[in-house]
Amino acid sequence: MRLVVAHCSVDYAGRLTAHLPLAPRLLIVKADGSVLVHSDGGSYKPLNWMSPPCTLTVERRSDEEAAADADGSPWIEQWQVTHTKTGDTLRVRLHEVLEDSSHELGVDPGLQKDGVEAHLQALLAQNIDHLGEGWTLVRREYATAIGPVDILARDADGASVAIEIKRRGEIDGVEQLTRYLELLNRDPLLAPVRGIFAAQAIKPQARVLAADRGIDCVTLDYDALRGIDDVESRLF
């Protein structure tokens, strides 16, 4: 990856045209061929960019040979980035280079998300009494003919409970649990089976549908399940 901080102007031509006047910016040239132009604002989104597949050609000029940009100021280096499929071009003219460095980052291991459904399922299985005193875990990923139920448990009275877990509880999740319940309740060894729809956040429409189907909704607190947040000590 090459990182360049420079006073530059940028012109994009193709399906649309765009111009960035002379200003200090961060230019990023990545190993995959992409080129991104960033300012000090605008959060993570670049001001302009070219995605691969593309080619980058660089034209350098000495101070004596420096050409003039549209505004009359001299540039010392020009990047021409051309998309190999669309023909769109990104032209970056560097007037003064403040920093220029290259770094070999290697293969990225990828984003490892915390608090995804698998984590919530494992934590709730380990802390099944979070749903009520005397509850016991029967099995995680309880197999059915239409897919595995996240958790099958028994409440304090020994009744079967099917639990579907989502990070964000939406109508689709309620529909999924409904199908599981219809199938599980055909098993005389389990019936009657009631359902719990558990998520970190549940949309109002999902709550309404769950109530209509006789399904309870439970909001999961990820930090509390991990034991790093004392819910009882909160003010609100």
Side-chain angles (χ1 to χ4, degrees), residues 1 5-6 11 29 37 45 58 88 93 107 113 117 139 150 162 166 186 188 204 220:
M1 178 181 290
V5 179
D11 289 279
V29 183
V37 181
K45 188 176 182 180
V58 178
D88 290 12
R93 284 181 167 174
V107 178
K113 295 183 179 180
E117 291 169 16
R139 186 173 178 179
D150 287 337
K166 302 290 184 185
R186 298 176 191 172
L220 298 176

Side-chain angles (χ1 to χ4, degrees), residues 118-132 135-140 150-153 163 165 220 222 224-227:
H119 295 154
L120 290 169
Q121 182 192 122
L123 286 169
L124 187 57
Q126 293 168 8
N127 301 276
I128 197 67
D129 56 355
H130 179 80
L131 298 176
W135 282 54
T136 57
L137 173 69
V138 175
R139 186 173 178 179
R140 288 176 56 190
D150 287 337
I151 290 178
L152 184 67
I163 306 166
I165 300 171
L220 298 176
Y222 183 58
L225 285 173
R226 290 194 296 169

Side-chain angles (χ1 to χ4, degrees), residues 75-104:
W75 55 268
I76 58 174
E77 184 171 309
Q78 176 175 280
W79 298 1
Q80 185 83 6
V81 189
T82 305
H83 198 278
T84 55
K85 291 185 177 180
T86 65
D88 290 12
T89 60
L90 180 72
R91 188 187 69 187
V92 184
R93 284 181 167 174
L94 285 66
H95 296 249
E96 180 185 5
V97 177
L98 305 176
E99 296 285 346
D100 189 346
S101 62
S102 296
H103 307 272
E104 186 64 43

